[in-house]
Amino acid sequence: MFINMSEINIVDAPPGTEGPGYFATSLDKVIGLARSNSLWPLPFATSCCGIEFMATMGSHYDLGRFGAERLSFSPRQADVLMVMGTIAKKMAPVLKQVYIQMAEPRWVMAVGACASSGGIFDTYSVLQGIDEVIPVDVYVPGCPPRPEAILDGFQRIQDLVKNESGRRRNSDYYKELLGQYGIK
């Protein structure tokens, strides 16, 4: 996931591909850059991690400076599903339905110990991690996580979005992954 800077070879651009006012790149990189800096998160907050998310949206931490100024409370307009807090097993079908209603490409962030692993609630009624019902892209640890951790998790989502190929979502691997969760 992380690049070792000593392994990167920087070479000069071929003649004719750069000059004043323009540069050459691939369409995937331009689309990834645009997407990563204009994500619309859908907060699915059920408990104390939601309070930390509210602090993250406040002026001191300001998630909006990362291009997520507009929260979307409609799954059809959201890019990132941010699940925060304890998810009861009765809530699992609702969470899965929200995920299915989101348009592709979509990403999921499990915020806090409860969304990641059930937290301290190892009981029959609490889902032991949302990855039992939907695929998760980034896990944010903590109980509850500090706003800095939520910002770090959001930046990891941005890295995924920026570097994801436009064809990944149509790959056999991705279709098989969704099939494991019973999602078509």
Side-chain angles (χ1 to χ4, degrees):
M1 184 53 83
F2 295 101
I3 298 172
N4 184 355
M5 294 306 286
S6 65
E7 296 175 4
I8 296 177
N9 295 326
I10 298 176
V11 297
D12 293 330
T17 59
E18 62 180 24
Y22 70 94
F23 63 94
T25 189
S26 69
L27 185 60
D28 270 353
K29 290 185 189 245
V30 170
I31 290 172
L33 181 65
R35 275 186 182 156
S36 69
N37 292 305
S38 62
L39 294 172
W40 288 3
L42 169 63
F44 195 95
T46 59
S47 52
C48 43
C49 289
I51 303 300
E52 292 298 319
F53 176 71
M54 289 178 210
T56 306
M57 290 301 297
S59 61
H60 186 73
Y61 295 101
D62 193 17
L63 186 62
R65 65 191 162 130
F66 297 99
E69 189 68 50
R70 183 197 181 278
L71 294 181
S72 177
F73 294 99
S74 168
R76 290 180 176 87
Q77 297 175 348
D79 302 310
V80 180
L81 178 59
M82 298 175 72
V83 182
M84 299 164 264
T86 310
I87 304 297
K89 287 186 180 176
K90 283 187 174 184
M91 186 63 81
V94 175
L95 178 63
K96 187 173 184 176
Q97 184 65 31
V98 167
Y99 178 78
I100 290 170
Q101 289 177 353
M102 292 174 66
E104 286 284 0
R106 58 190 171 205
W107 297 271
V108 177
M109 189 164 84
V111 178
C114 291
S116 299
S117 66
I120 61 171
F121 305 105
D122 189 11
T123 65
Y124 71 94
S125 62
V126 173
L127 194 65
Q128 298 301 300
I130 63 168
D131 55 0
E132 291 183 9
V133 290
I134 59 174
V136 176
D137 296 300
V138 171
Y139 295 91
V140 177
C143 184
R146 297 266 313 135
E148 294 91 344
I150 296 173
L151 289 174
D152 185 60
F154 193 79
Q155 288 175 329
R156 299 296 72 81
I157 290 280
Q158 285 183 311
D159 292 342
L160 288 173
V161 173
K162 191 182 298 181
N163 298 318
E164 182 178 88
S165 166
R167 295 183 187 94
R168 178 185 162 245
R169 300 290 169 155
N170 295 325
S171 69
D172 292 334
Y173 168 76
Y174 187 70
K175 290 176 184 175
E176 182 182 322
L177 175 67
L178 291 182
Q180 292 174 357
Y181 291 96
I183 301 170
K184 296 179 184 180

